[in-house]
Amino acid sequence: MTAALQSDYPPEGGWTTDDLDALPEDGHRRELLDGVLIVIPSPTRIHQTIAMRLGVALEEDCPEDYDVTQSVEVRISRTRSFIPDVLVTTSTAARRHPSKYEPHEVVLAVEIVSPSTQSIDRVLKPALYAQAGIPYFWRIEVEGSALVVHTCKLDPVNEVYTETGRWTKFIDTGEPFPVNLPLSRITPRFL
């Protein structure tokens, strides 16, 4: 058991992925930001429905070189670890049946913006995913009774994402593989 679990205070030097591994499997979503433990609130029904439907839709068109999954940890470094809502990974990585991925195994990270994590989903995570070299990032926003999907591609020289599309009716992109998806298909019934 780590020192972090034996005290009410964080470990000296901050939390690490070793500390995450020592925590009990209690259903809490935990992420690390530079050694700071972030406990993410349980996702809402709307959030989970969007993630589920998007995952299923992407899986249907996913080429054999890739795999689609949901809410699997990405270990960016020893003190940074995030859980994207939907991920597309390499099929090679998926075949090892991981409980966590390395950034180079992730092709697309998708975050669905939640009211309680807006700054993290809109600013922090995209910046750190880009810095880690994840080639594509999508951000999904709920605006009133509709969804807006922002698709982004990594500028590897500057380690930032550039927006490749802002989709309000359908997603029509060729990256990371051809996707032509009406947003009505991933929109919850009771939004």
Side-chain angles (χ1 to χ4, degrees):
M1 178 124 351
T2 68
L5 296 175
Q6 299 169 2
S7 168
D8 291 336
Y9 300 99
E12 188 173 319
W15 290 80
T16 68
T17 53
D18 291 338
D19 295 316
L20 279 183
D21 291 340
L23 292 173
E25 292 289 330
D26 57 7
H28 290 100
R29 289 178 62 158
R30 296 177 179 96
E31 298 181 327
L32 281 181
L33 173 61
D34 298 334
V36 175
L37 182 68
I38 301 169
V39 180
I40 305 296
S42 294
T44 65
R45 180 195 64 79
I46 289 171
H47 183 281
Q48 291 301 84
T49 300
I50 294 167
M52 174 188 63
R53 289 181 177 192
L54 178 62
V56 168
L58 289 175
E59 179 69 24
E60 288 175 4
D61 293 326
C62 185
E64 289 185 25
D65 294 347
Y66 301 120
D67 185 65
V68 179
T69 192
Q70 287 181 263
S71 299
V72 178
E73 182 180 354
V74 178
R75 293 253 166 117
I76 293 175
S77 72
R78 187 163 156 66
T79 59
R80 288 184 183 166
S81 179
F82 296 110
I83 303 172
D85 295 312
V86 177
L87 303 87
V88 175
T89 67
T90 65
S91 58
T92 302
R95 282 189 186 97
R96 65 179 179 78
H97 307 288
S99 60
K100 48 195 86 55
Y101 288 101
E102 298 295 322
H104 71 274
E105 298 173 314
V106 180
V107 178
L108 167 67
V110 180
E111 292 292 345
I112 301 162
V113 176
S114 295
S116 61
T117 58
Q118 290 179 35
S119 297
I120 292 171
D121 296 336
R122 290 179 180 153
V123 180
L124 182 69
K125 284 186 177 182
L128 296 177
Y129 290 154
Q131 202 174 64
I134 296 173
Y136 300 98
F137 174 75
W138 292 4
R139 187 181 81 241
I140 301 177
E141 302 265 357
V142 177
E143 293 184 3
S145 61
L147 300 182
V148 177
V149 178
H150 301 265
T151 57
C152 302
K153 182 178 182 175
L154 179 64
D155 170 352
V157 173
N158 296 310
E159 295 182 331
V160 297
Y161 288 114
T162 55
E163 191 166 275
T164 57
R166 182 181 183 279
W167 311 99
T168 58
K169 300 288 182 206
F170 58 89
I171 303 168
D172 189 9
T173 183
E175 301 171 320
F177 53 84
V179 176
N180 190 332
L181 175 65
L183 290 186
S184 60
R185 189 150 170 236
I186 64 170
T187 303
R189 283 185 213 167
F190 308 107
L191 187 58

